[in-house]
Amino acid sequence: MTEPATAPKASSDDIKRYIRNYRGEVDGGALYRMLADSEPDPELAAMFLHMAESEDGHRRLWERKLAEFGVALPNARPSARVKTLGFLARRFGVRSVIPTIMRMEMADTTMYDEQPEAVEAGLPEDERDHARTFRDIAIRQAGPMAGREIARVEGRHLSGTGNALRAAVLGLNDGLVSNLLLVTGIAGADPGRDVVLLTGVAGLLAGAFSMGLGEWISVRSSAEAFERQVEIERDELELAPEEEEHELVQIYRAKGLSEATAREAAHRIMADPKVALDTLVREELGMAEGEAGNPWTAAGTSFALFAIGAVLPVIPWFFVGGNLGILLSVILAGLGLFAAGAATALVTGRGMAFSGGRMLLFGLVTAAITFGIGRIIGASTDG
């Protein structure tokens, strides 16, 4: 009697890997289709659709592997991170999410290198092609850039000002955490609703103005430092052009160019004083005009983001006080903390639930500590 065929055995680690890969390809295909739907340029939209079809092929590979080992397909839907990126692309344009997606793709370029099934199917090459595609799109959107700027777009280095999303999350988080701790600390002492409300509003204004002023000074100082360095470089270019050309030659030699090629490139650059000054500032100092940004825009953004975060724990105290005020304050701030933490997952690649939950946990623990300290101080002053 012939025994029925049974599915081959696979280790639990292999099954988990196949499921993880399957979910990742579902995310990739969904994200690229969202980008295609939001992209007005037909050529770029077609490119995104082609990438989505490539992800579909990858997904089918993992479907076959799971079926081969008798494992039912998981109910995989686009993750919250992908849905958020798709929403941002629709609302603000594909360009707004390209840098974030490019960093995700750069991080994924080696994900299949040690997986024999993926290597045999050519998946590592496809992932690298996707990363190069987004890198090229990002560079094309940013305009002509040299070494340091291209490296920053690739995501290998972050500028001092950082990613815009990261800055926004930090601003919101600063306002949320600092004012939540202030409000809960004062509320713990139970001085009355009016005192808690006044303290919360004062903390909001003080923190927002401090953040705005600090950002203005930082950006303006960077701009002034840049202007000063440009003046020094301009003087050196006028007084000793031969030395500056020699420095350019050495820089290009260090980058791997032959001496003849480096000398030819430096000579051509030095022929145009404006190009020469821009190049020397960029190559010698690692600086570029406009990199610091507008100090007023930076100050206003920091003020607004801090205030938005800081107002959440204060809102309930406009209407209620006591334990209900504390509870509502913690709930509102908790929702904000979870949202701010989840937003970081767009950059870090961690799960949105994990990132949001971690931020929420830290915020609640520190709020409980300050509340306890306030309660102790309040009791001691009453006594």
Side-chain angles (χ1 to χ4, degrees), residues 19-364:
I19 292 175
R20 183 172 63 249
N21 292 342
Y22 173 77
R23 293 184 187 277
E25 300 302 344
V26 168
D27 263 1
L31 177 59
Y32 296 148
R33 285 188 170 84
M34 291 176 186
L35 295 181
D37 291 340
S38 304
E39 177 54 56
D41 184 335
E43 291 187 7
L44 268 182
M47 183 186 301
F48 291 139
L49 282 176
H50 177 73
M51 295 170 71
E53 292 167 359
S54 173
E55 297 292 278
D56 291 343
H58 298 176
R59 187 198 71 233
R60 287 191 290 271
L61 168 64
W62 305 118
E63 287 178 354
R64 290 193 298 271
K65 296 303 294 184
L66 289 170
E68 179 182 339
F69 292 105
V71 179
L73 288 178
N75 184 18
R77 296 179 179 177
S79 65
R81 178 172 55 157
V82 164
K83 291 178 180 178
T84 302
L85 287 170
F87 168 78
L88 294 174
R90 288 193 304 273
R91 180 66 179 82
F92 302 106
V94 172
R95 180 170 183 167
S96 67
V97 298
I98 287 294
T100 298
I101 297 175
M102 186 204 62
R103 288 183 175 91
M104 291 165 52
E105 292 291 344
M106 295 293 292
D108 287 344
T109 52
T110 60
M111 64 179 291
Y112 285 137
D113 285 0
E114 304 299 326
Q115 300 191 41
E117 310 93 337
V119 172
E120 183 179 352
L123 269 59
E125 291 77 9
D126 289 344
E127 293 299 328
R128 290 184 177 87
D129 284 343
H130 293 175
R132 282 192 293 268
T133 297
F134 278 99
R135 180 199 61 189
D136 293 342
I137 293 172
I139 292 175
R140 188 161 65 246
Q141 288 178 344
M145 296 181 297
R148 184 168 178 262
E149 287 73 25
I150 292 176
R152 186 166 66 245
V153 168
E154 286 179 342
R156 296 176 186 153
H157 306 288
L158 291 175
S159 67
T161 53
N163 179 275
L165 176 61
R166 175 178 174 273
V169 170
L170 288 176
L172 286 167
N173 186 64
D174 282 348
L176 268 167
V177 173
S178 63
N179 228 29
L180 174 63
L181 301 188
L182 181 62
V183 167
T184 53
I186 296 298
D190 195 21
R193 174 189 153 202
D194 291 343
V195 174
V196 177
L197 177 60
L198 177 61
T199 302
V201 172
L204 184 158
L205 293 174
F209 277 113
S210 176
M211 287 285 290
L213 179 59
E215 193 68 15
W216 188 92
I217 292 173
S218 174
V219 174
R220 185 61 200 143
S221 297
S222 296
E224 289 173 349
F226 173 78
E227 292 164 3
R228 175 59 180 158
Q229 293 298 325
V230 170
E231 287 301 318
I232 294 173
E233 202 63 41
R234 182 180 288 111
D235 291 342
E236 292 178 350
L237 188 59
E238 292 177 356
L239 295 174
E242 296 84 3
E243 292 183 11
E244 296 301 303
E245 183 172 345
H246 177 71
E247 288 181 10
L248 269 183
V249 171
Q250 297 308 311
I251 289 171
Y252 292 144
R253 287 290 308 279
K255 290 184 176 183
L257 298 182
S258 67
E259 183 171 355
T261 303
R263 288 188 180 281
E264 181 182 0
H267 184 71
R268 289 185 178 182
I269 289 170
M270 295 296 291
D272 186 328
K274 185 178 185 308
V275 173
L277 179 61
D278 291 343
T279 304
L280 286 165
V281 169
R282 184 174 61 246
E283 296 290 358
E284 288 190 23
L285 307 176
M287 302 170 72
E289 187 175 3
E291 188 174 281
N294 184 302
W296 292 107
T297 300
T301 302
S302 293
F303 180 96
L305 290 171
F306 185 96
I308 291 171
V311 77
L312 291 179
V314 180
I315 290 175
W317 295 91
F318 283 99
F319 310 101
V320 297
N323 291 334
L324 180 58
I326 296 172
L327 176 63
L328 294 177
S329 183
V330 170
I331 289 174
L332 276 181
L335 292 173
L337 285 168
F338 185 87
T344 64
L346 298 176
V347 177
T348 64
R350 300 298 297 267
M352 298 186 81
F354 171 83
S355 299
R358 178 175 58 184
M359 188 80 79
L360 175 61
L361 176 62
F362 290 161
L364 293 182

